[in-house]
PDB file of all heavy atoms in Angstrom:
ATOM      1  N   ASN W 957     -15.577   1.143   8.527  1.00  0.00           N
ATOM      2  CA  ASN W 957     -14.170   0.855   8.796  1.00  0.00           C
ATOM      3  C   ASN W 957     -14.064   0.450  10.267  1.00  0.00           C
ATOM      4  O   ASN W 957     -13.494   1.143  11.084  1.00  0.00           O
ATOM      5  CB  ASN W 957     -13.309   2.082   8.500  1.00  0.00           C
ATOM      6  CG  ASN W 957     -11.836   1.801   8.669  1.00  0.00           C
ATOM      7  OD1 ASN W 957     -11.435   0.747   9.127  1.00  0.00           O
ATOM      8  ND2 ASN W 957     -11.020   2.772   8.302  1.00  0.00           N
ATOM      9  N   PHE W 958     -14.659  -0.690  10.585  1.00  0.00           N
ATOM     10  CA  PHE W 958     -14.716  -1.108  11.982  1.00  0.00           C
ATOM     11  C   PHE W 958     -13.366  -1.505  12.544  1.00  0.00           C
ATOM     12  O   PHE W 958     -13.225  -1.654  13.753  1.00  0.00           O
ATOM     13  CB  PHE W 958     -15.725  -2.240  12.162  1.00  0.00           C
ATOM     14  CG  PHE W 958     -15.414  -3.456  11.355  1.00  0.00           C
ATOM     15  CD1 PHE W 958     -14.640  -4.457  11.883  1.00  0.00           C
ATOM     16  CD2 PHE W 958     -15.878  -3.566  10.061  1.00  0.00           C
ATOM     17  CE1 PHE W 958     -14.333  -5.572  11.139  1.00  0.00           C
ATOM     18  CE2 PHE W 958     -15.579  -4.676   9.313  1.00  0.00           C
ATOM     19  CZ  PHE W 958     -14.806  -5.684   9.845  1.00  0.00           C
ATOM     20  N   ALA W 959     -12.347  -1.666  11.703  1.00  0.00           N
ATOM     21  CA  ALA W 959     -11.010  -2.031  12.177  1.00  0.00           C
ATOM     22  C   ALA W 959     -10.089  -0.821  12.296  1.00  0.00           C
ATOM     23  O   ALA W 959      -8.945  -0.949  12.708  1.00  0.00           O
ATOM     24  CB  ALA W 959     -10.389  -3.069  11.249  1.00  0.00           C
ATOM     25  N   GLY W 960     -10.559   0.352  11.931  1.00  0.00           N
ATOM     26  CA  GLY W 960      -9.735   1.554  12.031  1.00  0.00           C
ATOM     27  C   GLY W 960      -8.557   1.564  11.069  1.00  0.00           C
ATOM     28  O   GLY W 960      -7.490   2.083  11.374  1.00  0.00           O
ATOM     29  N   ILE W 961      -8.727   1.013   9.878  1.00  0.00           N
ATOM     30  CA  ILE W 961      -7.645   0.905   8.893  1.00  0.00           C
ATOM     31  C   ILE W 961      -7.296   2.287   8.359  1.00  0.00           C
ATOM     32  O   ILE W 961      -8.168   3.063   7.969  1.00  0.00           O
ATOM     33  CB  ILE W 961      -8.061  -0.036   7.750  1.00  0.00           C
ATOM     34  CG1 ILE W 961      -8.258  -1.457   8.293  1.00  0.00           C
ATOM     35  CG2 ILE W 961      -7.036  -0.020   6.623  1.00  0.00           C
ATOM     36  CD1 ILE W 961      -8.881  -2.418   7.316  1.00  0.00           C
ATOM     37  N   THR W 962      -5.997   2.578   8.343  1.00  0.00           N
ATOM     38  CA  THR W 962      -5.504   3.821   7.758  1.00  0.00           C
ATOM     39  C   THR W 962      -4.491   3.491   6.672  1.00  0.00           C
ATOM     40  O   THR W 962      -3.812   2.473   6.721  1.00  0.00           O
ATOM     41  CB  THR W 962      -4.830   4.730   8.799  1.00  0.00           C
ATOM     42  OG1 THR W 962      -3.725   4.043   9.370  1.00  0.00           O
ATOM     43  CG2 THR W 962      -5.787   5.145   9.891  1.00  0.00           C
ATOM     44  N   ARG W 963      -4.402   4.373   5.697  1.00  0.00           N
ATOM     45  CA  ARG W 963      -3.387   4.269   4.656  1.00  0.00           C
ATOM     46  C   ARG W 963      -2.832   5.664   4.425  1.00  0.00           C
ATOM     47  O   ARG W 963      -3.592   6.615   4.286  1.00  0.00           O
ATOM     48  CB  ARG W 963      -3.978   3.713   3.365  1.00  0.00           C
ATOM     49  CG  ARG W 963      -4.304   2.228   3.478  1.00  0.00           C
ATOM     50  CD  ARG W 963      -4.544   1.593   2.107  1.00  0.00           C
ATOM     51  NE  ARG W 963      -4.762   0.168   2.276  1.00  0.00           N
ATOM     52  CZ  ARG W 963      -5.912  -0.392   2.647  1.00  0.00           C
ATOM     53  NH1 ARG W 963      -6.962   0.361   2.887  1.00  0.00           N
ATOM     54  NH2 ARG W 963      -6.021  -1.699   2.775  1.00  0.00           N
ATOM     55  N   ASN W 964      -1.511   5.740   4.409  1.00  0.00           N
ATOM     56  CA  ASN W 964      -0.845   7.042   4.223  1.00  0.00           C
ATOM     57  C   ASN W 964      -1.353   8.084   5.215  1.00  0.00           C
ATOM     58  O   ASN W 964      -1.550   9.239   4.878  1.00  0.00           O
ATOM     59  CB  ASN W 964      -1.014   7.531   2.784  1.00  0.00           C
ATOM     60  CG  ASN W 964      -0.447   6.559   1.783  1.00  0.00           C
ATOM     61  OD1 ASN W 964       0.632   6.009   1.975  1.00  0.00           O
ATOM     62  ND2 ASN W 964      -1.184   6.321   0.720  1.00  0.00           N
ATOM     63  N   GLY W 965      -1.607   7.626   6.447  1.00  0.00           N
ATOM     64  CA  GLY W 965      -2.046   8.528   7.501  1.00  0.00           C
ATOM     65  C   GLY W 965      -3.501   8.941   7.421  1.00  0.00           C
ATOM     66  O   GLY W 965      -3.957   9.768   8.198  1.00  0.00           O
ATOM     67  N   LYS W 966      -4.250   8.382   6.467  1.00  0.00           N
ATOM     68  CA  LYS W 966      -5.651   8.758   6.284  1.00  0.00           C
ATOM     69  C   LYS W 966      -6.547   7.577   6.620  1.00  0.00           C
ATOM     70  O   LYS W 966      -6.333   6.457   6.155  1.00  0.00           O
ATOM     71  CB  LYS W 966      -5.883   9.187   4.835  1.00  0.00           C
ATOM     72  CG  LYS W 966      -7.287   9.658   4.564  1.00  0.00           C
ATOM     73  CD  LYS W 966      -7.447  10.087   3.104  1.00  0.00           C
ATOM     74  CE  LYS W 966      -8.867  10.514   2.862  1.00  0.00           C
ATOM     75  NZ  LYS W 966      -9.583   9.609   1.998  1.00  0.00           N
ATOM     76  N   LEU W 967      -7.583   7.827   7.411  1.00  0.00           N
ATOM     77  CA  LEU W 967      -8.544   6.807   7.784  1.00  0.00           C
ATOM     78  C   LEU W 967      -9.344   6.389   6.556  1.00  0.00           C
ATOM     79  O   LEU W 967      -9.880   7.219   5.841  1.00  0.00           O
ATOM     80  CB  LEU W 967      -9.482   7.359   8.857  1.00  0.00           C
ATOM     81  CG  LEU W 967     -10.346   6.379   9.607  1.00  0.00           C
ATOM     82  CD1 LEU W 967      -9.501   5.381  10.389  1.00  0.00           C
ATOM     83  CD2 LEU W 967     -11.264   7.128  10.548  1.00  0.00           C
ATOM     84  N   GLU W 968      -9.391   5.093   6.313  1.00  0.00           N
ATOM     85  CA  GLU W 968     -10.154   4.570   5.179  1.00  0.00           C
ATOM     86  C   GLU W 968     -11.652   4.707   5.443  1.00  0.00           C
ATOM     87  O   GLU W 968     -12.102   4.661   6.582  1.00  0.00           O
ATOM     88  CB  GLU W 968      -9.826   3.101   4.941  1.00  0.00           C
ATOM     89  CG  GLU W 968      -8.453   2.865   4.360  1.00  0.00           C
ATOM     90  CD  GLU W 968      -8.325   3.326   2.921  1.00  0.00           C
ATOM     91  OE1 GLU W 968      -9.269   3.173   2.125  1.00  0.00           O
ATOM     92  OE2 GLU W 968      -7.252   3.866   2.590  1.00  0.00           O
ATOM     93  N   SER W 969     -12.398   4.867   4.373  1.00  0.00           N
ATOM     94  CA  SER W 969     -13.849   4.941   4.438  1.00  0.00           C
ATOM     95  C   SER W 969     -14.396   4.028   3.344  1.00  0.00           C
ATOM     96  O   SER W 969     -13.862   3.989   2.236  1.00  0.00           O
ATOM     97  CB  SER W 969     -14.304   6.377   4.196  1.00  0.00           C
ATOM     98  OG  SER W 969     -15.707   6.458   4.212  1.00  0.00           O
ATOM     99  N   TYR W 970     -15.447   3.292   3.659  1.00  0.00           N
ATOM    100  CA  TYR W 970     -16.014   2.335   2.712  1.00  0.00           C
ATOM    101  C   TYR W 970     -17.478   2.648   2.482  1.00  0.00           C
ATOM    102  O   TYR W 970     -18.198   3.026   3.402  1.00  0.00           O
ATOM    103  CB  TYR W 970     -15.855   0.907   3.238  1.00  0.00           C
ATOM    104  CG  TYR W 970     -14.418   0.581   3.563  1.00  0.00           C
ATOM    105  CD1 TYR W 970     -13.955   0.660   4.868  1.00  0.00           C
ATOM    106  CD2 TYR W 970     -13.519   0.216   2.565  1.00  0.00           C
ATOM    107  CE1 TYR W 970     -12.637   0.382   5.178  1.00  0.00           C
ATOM    108  CE2 TYR W 970     -12.196  -0.065   2.859  1.00  0.00           C
ATOM    109  CZ  TYR W 970     -11.756   0.019   4.168  1.00  0.00           C
ATOM    110  OH  TYR W 970     -10.454  -0.252   4.475  1.00  0.00           O
ATOM    111  N   GLU W 971     -17.907   2.445   1.253  1.00  0.00           N
ATOM    112  CA  GLU W 971     -19.299   2.716   0.901  1.00  0.00           C
ATOM    113  C   GLU W 971     -20.242   1.652   1.447  1.00  0.00           C
ATOM    114  O   GLU W 971     -21.374   1.937   1.809  1.00  0.00           O
ATOM    115  CB  GLU W 971     -19.434   2.801  -0.617  1.00  0.00           C
ATOM    116  CG  GLU W 971     -20.774   3.308  -1.064  1.00  0.00           C
ATOM    117  CD  GLU W 971     -20.826   3.571  -2.557  1.00  0.00           C
ATOM    118  OE1 GLU W 971     -19.773   3.809  -3.171  1.00  0.00           O
ATOM    119  OE2 GLU W 971     -21.946   3.526  -3.097  1.00  0.00           O
ATOM    120  N   HIS W 972     -19.755   0.414   1.513  1.00  0.00           N
ATOM    121  CA  HIS W 972     -20.578  -0.706   1.951  1.00  0.00           C
ATOM    122  C   HIS W 972     -19.863  -1.509   3.028  1.00  0.00           C
ATOM    123  O   HIS W 972     -18.633  -1.593   3.039  1.00  0.00           O
ATOM    124  CB  HIS W 972     -20.901  -1.639   0.774  1.00  0.00           C
ATOM    125  CG  HIS W 972     -21.555  -0.956  -0.369  1.00  0.00           C
ATOM    126  ND1 HIS W 972     -22.884  -0.597  -0.363  1.00  0.00           N
ATOM    127  CD2 HIS W 972     -21.062  -0.549  -1.554  1.00  0.00           C
ATOM    128  CE1 HIS W 972     -23.186  -0.008  -1.493  1.00  0.00           C
ATOM    129  NE2 HIS W 972     -22.093   0.040  -2.236  1.00  0.00           N
ATOM    130  N   LEU W 973     -20.644  -2.122   3.898  1.00  0.00           N
ATOM    131  CA  LEU W 973     -20.080  -2.977   4.938  1.00  0.00           C
ATOM    132  C   LEU W 973     -19.205  -4.069   4.332  1.00  0.00           C
ATOM    133  O   LEU W 973     -18.117  -4.356   4.830  1.00  0.00           O
ATOM    134  CB  LEU W 973     -21.198  -3.594   5.777  1.00  0.00           C
ATOM    135  CG  LEU W 973     -20.763  -4.599   6.841  1.00  0.00           C
ATOM    136  CD1 LEU W 973     -19.857  -3.948   7.877  1.00  0.00           C
ATOM    137  CD2 LEU W 973     -21.979  -5.232   7.500  1.00  0.00           C
ATOM    138  N   SER W 974     -19.643  -4.651   3.239  1.00  0.00           N
ATOM    139  CA  SER W 974     -18.876  -5.734   2.613  1.00  0.00           C
ATOM    140  C   SER W 974     -17.500  -5.260   2.159  1.00  0.00           C
ATOM    141  O   SER W 974     -16.532  -6.018   2.210  1.00  0.00           O
ATOM    142  CB  SER W 974     -19.644  -6.341   1.442  1.00  0.00           C
ATOM    143  OG  SER W 974     -19.911  -5.369   0.454  1.00  0.00           O
ATOM    144  N   ASP W 975     -17.379  -4.005   1.737  1.00  0.00           N
ATOM    145  CA  ASP W 975     -16.074  -3.464   1.330  1.00  0.00           C
ATOM    146  C   ASP W 975     -15.139  -3.354   2.528  1.00  0.00           C
ATOM    147  O   ASP W 975     -13.953  -3.687   2.434  1.00  0.00           O
ATOM    148  CB  ASP W 975     -16.235  -2.081   0.689  1.00  0.00           C
ATOM    149  CG  ASP W 975     -17.067  -2.116  -0.576  1.00  0.00           C
ATOM    150  OD1 ASP W 975     -17.070  -3.152  -1.277  1.00  0.00           O
ATOM    151  OD2 ASP W 975     -17.729  -1.097  -0.856  1.00  0.00           O
ATOM    152  N   GLY W 976     -15.676  -2.880   3.649  1.00  0.00           N
ATOM    153  CA  GLY W 976     -14.871  -2.784   4.862  1.00  0.00           C
ATOM    154  C   GLY W 976     -14.442  -4.146   5.365  1.00  0.00           C
ATOM    155  O   GLY W 976     -13.291  -4.337   5.772  1.00  0.00           O
ATOM    156  N   LEU W 977     -15.351  -5.111   5.329  1.00  0.00           N
ATOM    157  CA  LEU W 977     -15.023  -6.469   5.755  1.00  0.00           C
ATOM    158  C   LEU W 977     -13.963  -7.097   4.861  1.00  0.00           C
ATOM    159  O   LEU W 977     -13.029  -7.743   5.332  1.00  0.00           O
ATOM    160  CB  LEU W 977     -16.277  -7.345   5.744  1.00  0.00           C
ATOM    161  CG  LEU W 977     -17.280  -7.084   6.851  1.00  0.00           C
ATOM    162  CD1 LEU W 977     -18.564  -7.854   6.584  1.00  0.00           C
ATOM    163  CD2 LEU W 977     -16.703  -7.450   8.202  1.00  0.00           C
ATOM    164  N   GLU W 978     -14.087  -6.898   3.558  1.00  0.00           N
ATOM    165  CA  GLU W 978     -13.119  -7.466   2.621  1.00  0.00           C
ATOM    166  C   GLU W 978     -11.720  -6.887   2.855  1.00  0.00           C
ATOM    167  O   GLU W 978     -10.732  -7.627   2.880  1.00  0.00           O
ATOM    168  CB  GLU W 978     -13.563  -7.208   1.188  1.00  0.00           C
ATOM    169  CG  GLU W 978     -12.621  -7.827   0.168  1.00  0.00           C
ATOM    170  CD  GLU W 978     -13.100  -7.645  -1.266  1.00  0.00           C
ATOM    171  OE1 GLU W 978     -14.214  -7.146  -1.491  1.00  0.00           O
ATOM    172  OE2 GLU W 978     -12.339  -8.023  -2.160  1.00  0.00           O
ATOM    173  N   ASP W 979     -11.625  -5.585   3.035  1.00  0.00           N
ATOM    174  CA  ASP W 979     -10.316  -4.970   3.274  1.00  0.00           C
ATOM    175  C   ASP W 979      -9.732  -5.450   4.597  1.00  0.00           C
ATOM    176  O   ASP W 979      -8.535  -5.750   4.689  1.00  0.00           O
ATOM    177  CB  ASP W 979     -10.430  -3.448   3.245  1.00  0.00           C
ATOM    178  CG  ASP W 979      -9.087  -2.772   3.018  1.00  0.00           C
ATOM    179  OD1 ASP W 979      -8.147  -3.423   2.505  1.00  0.00           O
ATOM    180  OD2 ASP W 979      -8.973  -1.581   3.351  1.00  0.00           O
ATOM    181  N   TYR W 980     -10.558  -5.546   5.617  1.00  0.00           N
ATOM    182  CA  TYR W 980     -10.110  -6.052   6.913  1.00  0.00           C
ATOM    183  C   TYR W 980      -9.574  -7.476   6.772  1.00  0.00           C
ATOM    184  O   TYR W 980      -8.492  -7.798   7.265  1.00  0.00           O
ATOM    185  CB  TYR W 980     -11.260  -6.000   7.917  1.00  0.00           C
ATOM    186  CG  TYR W 980     -10.955  -6.670   9.221  1.00  0.00           C
ATOM    187  CD1 TYR W 980     -10.029  -6.130  10.098  1.00  0.00           C
ATOM    188  CD2 TYR W 980     -11.603  -7.850   9.578  1.00  0.00           C
ATOM    189  CE1 TYR W 980      -9.745  -6.758  11.309  1.00  0.00           C
ATOM    190  CE2 TYR W 980     -11.333  -8.469  10.778  1.00  0.00           C
ATOM    191  CZ  TYR W 980     -10.397  -7.917  11.640  1.00  0.00           C
ATOM    192  OH  TYR W 980     -10.115  -8.533  12.827  1.00  0.00           O
ATOM    193  N   MET W 981     -10.306  -8.327   6.078  1.00  0.00           N
ATOM    194  CA  MET W 981      -9.862  -9.714   5.906  1.00  0.00           C
ATOM    195  C   MET W 981      -8.562  -9.777   5.101  1.00  0.00           C
ATOM    196  O   MET W 981      -7.685 -10.596   5.391  1.00  0.00           O
ATOM    197  CB  MET W 981     -10.953 -10.558   5.246  1.00  0.00           C
ATOM    198  CG  MET W 981     -12.155 -10.774   6.145  1.00  0.00           C
ATOM    199  SD  MET W 981     -11.752 -11.389   7.818  1.00  0.00           S
ATOM    200  CE  MET W 981     -10.890 -12.888   7.447  1.00  0.00           C
ATOM    201  N   ASN W 982      -8.412  -8.924   4.113  1.00  0.00           N
ATOM    202  CA  ASN W 982      -7.152  -8.883   3.356  1.00  0.00           C
ATOM    203  C   ASN W 982      -5.991  -8.508   4.266  1.00  0.00           C
ATOM    204  O   ASN W 982      -4.902  -9.087   4.166  1.00  0.00           O
ATOM    205  CB  ASN W 982      -7.253  -7.902   2.188  1.00  0.00           C
ATOM    206  CG  ASN W 982      -8.115  -8.424   1.067  1.00  0.00           C
ATOM    207  OD1 ASN W 982      -8.293  -9.627   0.906  1.00  0.00           O
ATOM    208  ND2 ASN W 982      -8.678  -7.512   0.291  1.00  0.00           N
ATOM    209  N   CYS W 983      -6.218  -7.559   5.151  1.00  0.00           N
ATOM    210  CA  CYS W 983      -5.168  -7.163   6.103  1.00  0.00           C
ATOM    211  C   CYS W 983      -4.823  -8.317   7.039  1.00  0.00           C
ATOM    212  O   CYS W 983      -3.647  -8.626   7.248  1.00  0.00           O
ATOM    213  CB  CYS W 983      -5.614  -5.958   6.926  1.00  0.00           C
ATOM    214  SG  CYS W 983      -5.726  -4.427   6.011  1.00  0.00           S
ATOM    215  N   ILE W 984      -5.837  -8.962   7.595  1.00  0.00           N
ATOM    216  CA  ILE W 984      -5.611 -10.079   8.511  1.00  0.00           C
ATOM    217  C   ILE W 984      -4.890 -11.217   7.789  1.00  0.00           C
ATOM    218  O   ILE W 984      -3.955 -11.814   8.338  1.00  0.00           O
ATOM    219  CB  ILE W 984      -6.946 -10.549   9.126  1.00  0.00           C
ATOM    220  CG1 ILE W 984      -7.523  -9.465  10.041  1.00  0.00           C
ATOM    221  CG2 ILE W 984      -6.763 -11.861   9.885  1.00  0.00           C
ATOM    222  CD1 ILE W 984      -6.631  -9.046  11.189  1.00  0.00           C
ATOM    223  N   CYS W 985      -5.300 -11.530   6.562  1.00  0.00           N
ATOM    224  CA  CYS W 985      -4.635 -12.599   5.798  1.00  0.00           C
ATOM    225  C   CYS W 985      -3.164 -12.279   5.560  1.00  0.00           C
ATOM    226  O   CYS W 985      -2.322 -13.179   5.604  1.00  0.00           O
ATOM    227  CB  CYS W 985      -5.354 -12.825   4.473  1.00  0.00           C
ATOM    228  SG  CYS W 985      -6.927 -13.677   4.665  1.00  0.00           S
ATOM    229  N   TRP W 986      -2.851 -11.017   5.318  1.00  0.00           N
ATOM    230  CA  TRP W 986      -1.452 -10.609   5.117  1.00  0.00           C
ATOM    231  C   TRP W 986      -0.619 -10.994   6.335  1.00  0.00           C
ATOM    232  O   TRP W 986       0.477 -11.531   6.204  1.00  0.00           O
ATOM    233  CB  TRP W 986      -1.396  -9.093   4.865  1.00  0.00           C
ATOM    234  CG  TRP W 986      -0.043  -8.593   4.527  1.00  0.00           C
ATOM    235  CD1 TRP W 986       0.514  -8.495   3.279  1.00  0.00           C
ATOM    236  CD2 TRP W 986       0.943  -8.105   5.446  1.00  0.00           C
ATOM    237  NE1 TRP W 986       1.777  -7.985   3.377  1.00  0.00           N
ATOM    238  CE2 TRP W 986       2.076  -7.729   4.695  1.00  0.00           C
ATOM    239  CE3 TRP W 986       0.978  -7.955   6.817  1.00  0.00           C
ATOM    240  CZ2 TRP W 986       3.220  -7.213   5.274  1.00  0.00           C
ATOM    241  CZ3 TRP W 986       2.128  -7.433   7.395  1.00  0.00           C
ATOM    242  CH2 TRP W 986       3.226  -7.073   6.634  1.00  0.00           C
ATOM    243  N   TYR W 987      -1.132 -10.735   7.534  1.00  0.00           N
ATOM    244  CA  TYR W 987      -0.414 -11.095   8.757  1.00  0.00           C
ATOM    245  C   TYR W 987      -0.317 -12.606   8.912  1.00  0.00           C
ATOM    246  O   TYR W 987       0.741 -13.146   9.242  1.00  0.00           O
ATOM    247  CB  TYR W 987      -1.092 -10.490   9.991  1.00  0.00           C
ATOM    248  CG  TYR W 987      -0.869  -9.008  10.127  1.00  0.00           C
ATOM    249  CD1 TYR W 987      -1.892  -8.105   9.867  1.00  0.00           C
ATOM    250  CD2 TYR W 987       0.366  -8.502  10.521  1.00  0.00           C
ATOM    251  CE1 TYR W 987      -1.687  -6.736   9.995  1.00  0.00           C
ATOM    252  CE2 TYR W 987       0.574  -7.139  10.652  1.00  0.00           C
ATOM    253  CZ  TYR W 987      -0.452  -6.265  10.382  1.00  0.00           C
ATOM    254  OH  TYR W 987      -0.239  -4.922  10.507  1.00  0.00           O
TER     255      TYR W 987
END
Side-chain angles (χ1 to χ4, degrees):
N957 184 353
F958 60 91
I961 296 170
T962 60
R963 288 195 176 81
N964 301 317
K966 183 179 178 249
L967 194 62
E968 288 290 322
S969 178
Y970 305 98
E971 190 172 336
H972 304 283
L973 176 62
S974 60
D975 298 331
L977 287 171
E978 182 177 354
D979 199 21
Y980 172 69
M981 291 309 302
N982 287 336
C983 290
I984 293 301
C985 286
W986 185 89
Y987 286 107

